[in-house]
Amino acid sequence: MTKALISLPSLSLIAALALSGCSLSIGGGSSSQAQGQQTQASQAASDSAGSAGSAQAPASSPATGTSGSTGQAVAGYEPGQIPPIPMISLPDLSLLTQSTGAFTPDLTRSITSQPGITVRPARCDASGSLVSGSTVLGGDGSMTASSGATSVTNNGDGSGTFNDGKVSITNNGDGSGTYSDGKVSITVNGDGSGTYSDGKLSITNNGDGTAVVNGSTISAKPVPKAGKVGTFPSIDAAKPVRSCGTVITLEDSVLFDFGSSDLRGEASTTLTNLATVLKDSKAPKVQVQGHTDSVSDDVFNQKLSEQRAQAVSSALKADGVAADLESVGYGETKPVAPNENPDGSDNPGGRRLNRRVEVFVPAF
């Protein structure tokens, strides 16, 4: 089904928002033991052993099943019972593409059509440093958001995903879902069956009143369905705040070959167009920031990011940009997407997003 995106003044069809933490909690499975105490996904990574919403450590002593047989259980749960899928937490919306200044919308309209370039209003922290992150809202109540290594998807139909590089949650919206944090793995199939594993304790609940715990068959209640994630609030629920400027993101493939800081010949057109926009805007100050993925070591990535930022800065100066140009490299320290999947495998799409140069123009 085609998803209609909300149109806002300064970006056609896309609402690019900055993130400022997680406060809106929706969805999540439930059980008689876990009602009212499910843990948010953002907490599960650091406290998976101590909260009812995420998988707990195995009990230190065996628990007795309803049929009188003996088998281990997850702490706080009956033998054979699978903990619920934790809730998914959505980020606060702290910035819409609507800018209260005259500069940002004008600059945005000037360069959104350039291939390999993304333009959005900038959000800065208290010290004035650029905060990375983006959110795209769909008119059907769906959304995707990323901030650093954390990404959240709410499909608007009761399903959604959460991934912060350590914890991965999938809620299919039909009563089924999965949870994984590298140690604990939970699967709820939505038909009363499910599995739990933490390396020491293995539970398979057959959904028919029986379960197998570390090879022993016991009586067990069917697994409750995972609750729906819910629908994202309408755009009217978000309160716009003043932008601190404009951030222009250039994909590294537009500028450089992989692992290189030498500008490609094709990059000249992109940078010349960008230089024209910056000159026309009469921006007094511009900061060029280099970023890499996590391939190679920290020292190499830091140096590469600095060299790439300097290469772009030099090209803009050569094209006549008179603004005070500052170049800085952040290496792999400010990702906007996970470099790896939850199972530790490579995430090429995430790495591609992290290899970028950001041109930050503070509001003036």
Side-chain angles (χ1 to χ4, degrees), residues 221-246:
K221 295 179 181 179
V223 181
K225 293 183 177 182
K228 292 185 177 182
V229 175
T231 301
F232 194 72
S234 69
I235 194 69
D236 295 333
K239 181 180 179 180
V241 298
R242 181 181 293 273
S243 167
C244 61
T246 300

Side-chain angles (χ1 to χ4, degrees), residues 246-270:
T246 300
V247 60
I248 305 159
T249 302
L250 299 95
E251 297 178 9
D252 79 317
S253 59
V254 176
L255 306 174
F256 308 100
D257 289 328
F258 185 80
S260 172
S261 60
D262 295 328
L263 288 167
R264 301 172 58 191
E266 302 92 313
S268 60
T269 300
T270 298

Side-chain angles (χ1 to χ4, degrees), residues 31-188:
S31 67
S32 58
Q33 287 81 2
Q35 290 285 356
Q37 52 179 327
Q38 289 174 302
T39 304
Q40 293 183 352
S42 58
Q43 297 171 327
S46 61
D47 198 22
S48 62
S51 58
S54 59
Q56 298 180 354
S60 57
S61 60
T64 302
T66 55
S67 65
S69 59
T70 300
Q72 284 185 313
V74 181
Y77 296 88
E78 297 179 8
Q81 185 176 13
I82 309 299
I85 303 300
M87 292 189 294
I88 294 173
S89 295
L90 297 178
D92 287 336
L93 304 183
S94 61
L95 181 65
L96 300 184
T97 56
Q98 298 159 306
S99 172
T100 53
F103 169 65
T104 300
D106 290 342
L107 182 59
T108 300
R109 284 197 297 268
S110 299
I111 58 178
T112 48
S113 62
Q114 299 302 318
I117 297 178
T118 302
V119 184
R120 60 181 172 85
R123 175 177 173 265
C124 300
D125 60 21
S127 66
S129 298
L130 178 64
V131 177
S132 295
S134 64
T135 300
V136 177
L137 296 179
D140 56 358
S142 65
M143 66 153 285
T144 61
S146 68
S147 180
T150 300
S151 62
V152 179
T153 298
N154 182 340
N155 297 320
D157 58 1
S159 65
T161 63
F162 171 93
N163 191 321
D164 66 1
K166 296 179 181 179
V167 172
S168 175
I169 298 173
T170 299
N171 188 319
N172 297 319
D174 59 0
S176 65
T178 62
Y179 168 91
S180 174
D181 62 13
K183 295 181 180 179
V184 173
S185 176
I186 300 172
T187 299
V188 173

